[in-house]
Amino acid sequence: ESGKDSQDKKKNHIKALLVAATDCEPQYLIRLLQTKLRIGLAEQTLLAALGQAAVYTEEHSTPPPHIQSPLDEAAKIVKQVYSVLPVYDKIVPALLSDGVWNLPKTCSFTPGVPVGPMLAKPTKGVSEIVAKFQDMEFTCEYKYDGERAQIHYLENGSVEIYSRNSERNTGKFPDVVAVISRLKRPSASSFILDCELVAYDREKKKILPFQILSTRARKNVVMSDIKVNVCIYAFDMLYLNDQPLIQKELKVRREHLYSSFEEEPGFFQFATAITSNDLEEIQKFLDAAVDASCEGLIIKTMNKDATYEPSRRSHNWLKLKKDYMESIGDSLDLVPIGAFHGRGKRTGVYGAFLLACYNINNEEFQSICKIGTGFSEQVLEERSASLRTQVIPKPKSYYRFGDTIKPDVWFEPKEVWEVKAADLTISPVHRAAIGEVDPDKGISLRFPRLVRVRDDKSPEQASSSEQVAEMYNAQKHNHQNNQDDNDYDD
Ligand SMILES: *[C@@H]1O[C@H](CO)[C@@H](O)[C@H](O)[C@H]1NC(C)=O
């Protein structure tokens, strides 16, 4: 009930319920209304109850022979149907007219009724992703910083746009409606598209920040008044020509997506994606995404566990945001003090280096991380050749490092390298800024990458332990802020 006199109408419904109740039922009703019914009554309970009620009511219907436990099975069916058609006004009449066993046929996923979008879980770094998706094929897509949209195209040619919260947003984006109708291929007669709407500067061919998109009017927008243009970045297809695709793997859904639209730069583009499980390649792709004004990457399974899960924050989609990179602020300038021999493809050169920051007070170099990524073959050869001339028989007395770190060679402090990293963590092994943040532990860099060699700096001008400690503290502060923001994320 809503609108005029709705309070009275609600009261009358409640009275009628109480009058009809018997035995202990009024007690439950009252406690329910007081929200004191501590049995976790939520949507899922209601859906299960609907399914069970249908089984009890359908005296003449017999469940299909393979069904062992009709009550459980009916509950499951209603839940499943609700996840793709979250409309009681459709489900209940269908239950009453054709019964619960036919419900998947009478009530199905259909253009015109939005489902909640599938969401991604945050992850800390590329190495975590590779570990989680070990042995699976996965894809990395740019994570665009705009507004999530589900675009429905109906058989009769009408287009509807729904927000992340399934609110109808069509009136806000008449330009998007026009682009969709123009750039869909004739073969696509009905579909549901999952995408991000991103503010876009078509002259400079550049993605604009979310803040600019949010300056657009919200309702009844007239085409000629539009000042902020939008590019549709499409990444999923949930339905095509009378066929739901959500039970299909991403690989298949993506093929349908690619074959159903024409790309036009600045108007409609497929989300930039690569399929790789190479750490370095993904790291580079992440940098490229950030350079292209994206928030980071979304990583998705392609074949295994790769269906579309409406309204769920799934383990099969992971997001890697640049915040995790930016939180360390600047890059660091560090000194290679040791190295490990390369193996396999890297035989004959160094495979990884031990880096250190400089402690000004104690005049010592403190180890901060091992680095093995960010090198092209050529750079690795150059660095190896250059440092080979700096090898010393044993570490300097003013090198600080954990007992467990045993490089194959040690170097004179000579070069300074600019390094970027995903974040800083407390380390029992490394000695950077020891005593500043933790009495016995140092700080280390997670996922460091070489940016370039700083010929203009001497080793004593490398990043100081103090700076490292400051960065660590700033990051902790940032992470807390990000946590607070998390509800609005995506
Ligand atoms: C197309 O069909 C939908 C749903 O049946 C209806 O709401 C809409 O008004 C129709 N649009 C046109 C242009 O006929």
Side-chain angles (χ1 to χ4, degrees):
E1 299 292 352
S2 61
K4 195 169 164 286
D5 299 332
S6 62
Q7 277 299 329
D8 283 341
K9 286 183 192 159
K10 285 181 192 168
K11 274 187 204 157
N12 285 333
H13 286 312
I14 292 167
K15 271 189 217 159
L17 275 173
L18 286 171
V19 169
T22 56
D23 299 333
C24 61
E25 287 172 0
Q27 229 173 320
Y28 277 93
L29 282 172
I30 295 296
R31 301 203 73 170
L32 177 62
L33 292 166
Q34 291 177 313
T35 64
K36 281 186 186 161
L37 190 67
R38 302 223 166 114
I39 58 165
L41 180 71
E43 195 111 64
Q44 292 302 312
T45 321
L46 195 60
L47 294 171
L50 259 182
Q52 301 196 357
V55 174
Y56 284 124
T57 317
E58 292 172 26
E59 284 162 13
H60 308 295
S61 92
T62 34
H66 63 275
I67 285 176
Q68 306 262 320
S69 145
L71 287 177
D72 289 349
E73 204 61 33
K76 220 160 105 187
I77 289 174
V78 175
K79 284 182 190 177
Q80 188 128 45
V81 166
Y82 186 83
S83 78
V84 294
L85 190 79
V87 187
Y88 288 113
D89 279 346
K90 292 200 193 247
I91 293 176
V92 174
L95 276 176
L96 292 174
S97 63
D98 297 294
V100 68
W101 312 115
N102 290 317
L103 193 64
K105 275 181 236 135
T106 52
C107 269
S108 61
F109 186 46
T110 141
V113 183
V115 293
M118 179 163 171
L119 304 172
K121 283 211 192 292
T123 181
K124 279 237 135 176
V126 176
S127 35
E128 191 182 327
I129 290 160
V130 174
K132 262 194 182 150
F133 287 164
Q134 223 170 11
D135 305 327
M136 287 202 237
E137 191 182 342
F138 60 85
T139 184
C140 306
E141 286 173 352
Y142 282 10
K143 183 181 195 305
Y144 295 92
D145 193 8
E147 231 179 275
R148 186 82 175 259
Q150 202 172 87
I151 302 181
H152 293 229
Y153 187 93
L154 281 56
E155 292 276 356
N156 64 8
S158 69
V159 178
E160 297 288 356
I161 302 171
Y162 297 96
S163 74
R164 186 197 149 125
N165 299 323
S166 297
E167 279 151 17
R168 191 170 168 277
N169 238 347
T170 317
K172 185 177 174 184
F173 294 109
D175 46 342
V176 170
V177 170
V179 167
I180 286 292
S181 307
R182 184 162 63 82
L183 294 177
K184 75 164 200 68
R185 289 187 196 273
S187 61
S189 57
S190 65
F191 57 81
I192 299 175
L193 183 70
D194 195 356
C195 60
E196 190 89 1
L197 305 179
V198 183
Y200 196 90
D201 183 333
R202 290 185 187 140
E203 253 168 52
K204 295 194 180 122
K205 297 187 177 14
K206 239 180 61 183
I207 286 176
L208 299 171
F210 174 75
Q211 286 72 14
I212 300 211
L213 182 68
S214 61
T215 62
R216 273 180 70 130
R218 291 179 192 286
K219 276 182 194 157
N220 307 322
V221 173
V222 179
M223 284 285 251
S224 52
D225 292 347
I226 293 174
K227 291 195 184 66
V228 176
N229 284 318
V230 158
C231 180
I232 305 162
Y233 285 95
F235 50 78
D236 217 322
M237 191 83 155
L238 314 190
Y239 189 97
L240 178 62
N241 299 345
D242 290 332
Q243 296 298 319
L245 299 177
I246 50 179
Q247 296 298 331
K248 306 260 190 249
E249 326 55 281
L250 177 57
K251 197 166 198 160
V252 174
R253 300 202 305 274
R254 198 188 251 177
E255 278 164 16
H256 285 301
L257 171 68
Y258 288 171
S259 61
S260 300
F261 294 91
E262 205 119 15
E263 277 190 296
E264 188 175 311
F267 290 87
F268 183 105
Q269 289 174 251
F270 301 121
T272 303
I274 56 163
T275 301
S276 168
N277 48 21
D278 182 83
L279 268 163
E280 277 181 54
E281 204 177 333
I282 297 170
Q283 191 65 48
K284 270 193 198 146
F285 192 62
L286 174 59
D287 291 342
V290 172
D291 284 345
S293 307
C294 290
E295 283 186 296
L297 300 179
I298 301 271
I299 296 94
K300 302 172 176 177
T301 48
M302 284 290 270
N303 300 313
K304 195 164 168 281
D305 300 330
T307 60
Y308 192 93
E309 302 167 64
S311 308
R312 286 204 54 206
R313 198 173 282 289
S314 167
H315 282 290
N316 303 321
W317 282 17
L318 301 174
K319 63 179 167 189
L320 181 60
K321 290 187 27 174
K322 73 172 175 190
D323 296 8
Y324 308 135
M325 322 264 310
E326 280 199 332
S327 53
I328 76 160
D330 272 337
S331 52
L332 293 105
D333 295 323
L334 302 169
V335 180
I337 58 168
F340 304 81
H341 292 311
R343 278 186 232 136
K345 266 200 316 201
R346 289 184 167 177
T347 306
V349 292
Y350 296 123
F353 301 84
L354 181 63
L355 297 180
C357 64
Y358 188 60
N359 183 306
I360 298 164
N361 293 333
N362 304 345
E363 299 185 340
E364 59 188 21
F365 288 97
Q366 303 174 327
S367 81
I368 189 165
C369 65
K370 266 169 75 171
I371 183 170
T373 48
F375 303 86
S376 66
E377 261 177 53
Q378 188 200 341
V379 168
L380 192 60
E381 279 197 34
E382 282 168 16
R383 283 353 308 150
S384 297
S386 163
L387 285 169
R388 219 172 270 133
T389 65
Q390 305 297 331
V391 171
I392 48 177
K394 58 183 175 59
K396 299 278 189 192
S397 59
Y398 50 89
Y399 284 179
R400 294 283 166 271
F401 53 93
D403 301 336
T404 53
I405 302 178
K406 297 193 173 82
D408 297 317
V409 293
W410 293 96
F411 302 130
E412 282 279 352
K414 186 78 182 176
E415 298 195 348
V416 179
W417 293 0
E418 187 183 335
V419 167
K420 267 193 186 178
D423 58 13
L424 301 100
T425 58
I426 296 284
S427 161
V429 175
H430 291 287
R431 293 290 185 262
I434 190 165
E436 303 229 32
V437 173
D438 185 279
D440 307 310
K441 291 178 183 154
I443 291 169
S444 76
L445 299 184
R446 281 185 10 123
F447 217 78
R449 283 140 30 249
L450 176 68
V451 180
R452 63 195 167 119
V453 178
R454 293 291 304 254
D455 294 323
D456 55 336
K457 278 199 164 186
S458 70
E460 288 75 23
Q461 291 172 322
S463 298
S464 68
S465 321
E466 242 175 22
Q467 281 173 308
V468 171
E470 270 168 25
M471 278 178 153
Y472 177 83
N473 288 328
Q475 165 191 294
K476 237 173 50 181
H477 183 75
N478 261 353
H479 274 187
Q480 274 156 6
N481 288 350
N482 284 346
Q483 292 281 298
D484 296 341
D485 286 348
N486 245 350
D487 286 347
Y488 307 100
D489 195 14
D490 263 286

